[in-house]
Amino acid sequence: MHRLLLLGCLWLLAAPPASSIFQRPTGTPAPLRLQYLLEPLHPTVHTQRGATATLPCVLRALPRNYRVKWSKVEPANYRENIIIITNGLYHKNYGPLSPRVRLRHSHRYDASLTITDVALEDEGRYRCQLVNGLEDESVSLTLHLEGVVFPYQPSNGRYKFNYHEAKRACEQQDSRLATYQQLYKAWTEGLDWCNAGWILDGTVHYPIINSREPCGGRLLLPGVRTYGTRDKQKDRFDAFCFTSALQGQVYFIRGHLNFKEAGQACRNHGAAIAKVGQLYSAWKFSQLDRCDGGWLADGSVRYPITTPREHCGGLPDPGVRSFGFPSKEMRTYGTYCFVG
């Protein structure tokens, strides 16, 4: 009995303290604590197209011979594109963002990045990296644009776009291919669409609120359904486009106009016939609400509803309704114009 107690005491003396039993396995590096950079209080910066946005990056100390490098991670190819490099005294801008970026530099520890006239393609993940020999540190921030996602297909029907055609189609309609985060947010806000579409990273998805037979079956739960990564050249789907606030106004001209007359009516007012993305933006940000179908630049006829009512399509939810792509010779509709 005494011998057992002695062995037990020896084991307790040899055993590691309780806190060390659950230590990180040997070879797993501990997460690095930032020595020179401050963790951003808000890692996501919210803005709109046309605004000025600042991504914070502040140093707590200035090491010798340091540099700060700003870069942007592009979701389409996962590459990091350099935007600006500074050593605290001098700086150099790089890439397409070059004319619209500057360092805020409100004090000598401030390396925050300011982007003026924010564009749709500016949304995404940015990295502020302190380059200091072996002690490199970085913080990541996300620039988030408030906007709206809409499904888009051409006049000749569904599933006609390869990836590159989908990207170009969105850009032609004053928008860009949506990111997965933008599509997911749109789904949480009620986007329900049965046709699969390309998004910016080259994957294909469709958002479902109400499970039904033509859309994967009634037994599948609601969600953003995925086809995964597809061949950007060969595979064909629709597109999910994203647009943000306008620097201008969309308005309606009443009349019985064919497509050519609709474009001329806008030009007579010093405007241009509105694009699909511009109509969605006016609906989302300016609460444009009209029960009148009007021509748009792609030859489609649509109308925006913010207050659903029986005689305006009868659907219970707000949205941009579509009459599709009627004959361009038809004289039934007015036109939506855009003036910047």
Side-chain angles (χ1 to χ4, degrees):
M1 181 68 175
H2 292 291
R3 187 178 180 185
L4 286 174
L5 287 171
L6 179 61
L7 287 172
C9 292
L10 289 172
W11 181 86
L12 286 172
L13 289 171
S19 60
S20 68
I21 293 174
F22 302 103
Q23 282 181 346
R24 184 178 289 102
T26 304
T28 303
L32 296 175
R33 292 188 61 187
L34 293 176
Q35 181 179 354
Y36 294 107
L37 295 176
L38 290 173
E39 280 285 357
L41 189 61
H42 301 290
T44 299
V45 175
H46 297 265
T47 188
Q48 293 181 355
R49 178 168 54 177
T52 296
T54 297
L55 298 166
C57 184
V58 178
L59 284 71
R60 69 172 87 233
L62 300 177
R64 296 182 63 184
N65 303 320
Y66 78 95
R67 288 178 297 153
V68 170
K69 179 176 74 174
W70 275 99
S71 55
K72 183 174 187 287
V73 181
E74 298 297 342
N77 52 27
Y78 301 104
R79 288 191 309 185
E80 237 177 71
N81 294 330
I82 297 174
I83 301 170
I84 195 168
I85 296 178
T86 181
N87 64 0
L89 296 175
Y90 306 100
H91 70 272
K92 185 174 181 180
N93 293 15
Y94 297 85
L97 266 174
S98 180
R100 296 188 290 112
V101 296
R102 58 181 170 81
L103 294 170
R104 182 174 63 183
H105 209 64
S106 58
H107 52 79
R108 67 194 189 106
Y109 297 99
D110 184 13
S112 302
L113 183 73
T114 295
I115 305 174
T116 60
D117 193 19
V118 170
L120 294 176
E121 59 269 22
D122 295 344
E123 170 150 317
R125 189 159 63 87
Y126 291 75
R127 190 158 78 109
C128 175
Q129 181 181 13
L130 177 89
V131 182
N132 182 37
L134 298 176
E135 298 180 293
D136 293 1
E137 299 175 1
S138 67
V139 292
S140 291
L141 299 111
T142 299
L143 185 67
H144 172 76
L145 268 70
E146 302 294 339
V148 57
V149 172
F150 60 94
Y152 189 75
Q153 58 184 223
S155 59
N156 56 342
R158 71 198 286 256
Y159 294 175
K160 300 296 182 182
F161 294 135
N162 67 23
Y163 172 82
H164 306 287
E165 292 164 344
K167 185 172 183 288
R168 189 160 53 248
C170 288
E171 290 166 356
Q172 289 170 348
Q173 296 308 314
D174 192 52
S175 58
R176 71 180 302 215
L177 279 175
T179 64
Y180 181 81
Q181 290 78 9
Q182 289 165 345
L183 182 63
Y184 184 87
K185 184 173 184 289
W187 168 71
T188 66
E189 294 171 350
L191 182 60
D192 182 277
W193 198 253
C194 207
N195 294 347
W198 293 102
I199 63 171
L200 187 60
D201 64 3
T203 57
V204 175
H205 309 268
Y206 63 103
I208 294 296
I209 298 291
N210 302 306
S211 299
R212 49 202 186 274
E213 285 305 328
C215 308
R218 297 179 183 277
L219 297 180
L220 283 180
L221 293 173
V224 178
R225 313 267 172 82
T226 180
Y227 285 14
T229 303
R230 312 299 290 191
D231 189 305
K232 292 182 178 181
Q233 292 287 356
K234 297 179 181 177
D235 290 326
R236 294 189 172 269
F237 298 94
D238 291 346
F240 285 105
C241 305
F242 171 83
T243 192
S244 185
L246 285 174
Q247 290 182 289
Q249 179 188 6
V250 173
Y251 62 93
F252 181 74
I253 293 179
R254 192 182 297 275
H256 298 283
L257 310 169
N258 64 28
F259 178 71
K260 186 176 180 180
E261 292 167 343
Q264 187 59 53
C266 292
R267 289 191 291 274
N268 291 344
H269 285 75
I273 188 168
K275 299 176 180 181
V276 177
Q278 291 168 340
L279 185 66
Y280 269 93
S281 180
W283 166 74
K284 173 77 172 181
F285 292 99
S286 303
Q287 288 72 54
L288 185 62
D289 183 289
R290 286 206 69 102
C291 213
D292 306 281
W295 291 102
L296 295 176
D298 66 340
S300 65
V301 172
R302 306 173 196 251
Y303 62 102
I305 296 295
T306 56
T307 305
R309 45 214 188 266
E310 194 61 38
H311 66 284
C312 295
L315 295 176
D317 300 314
V320 174
R321 321 280 195 236
S322 175
F323 286 121
F325 294 84
S327 167
K328 291 185 176 181
E329 301 305 316
M330 186 178 291
R331 282 190 171 91
T332 305
Y333 307 104
T335 183
Y336 287 98
C337 304
F338 171 72
V339 61

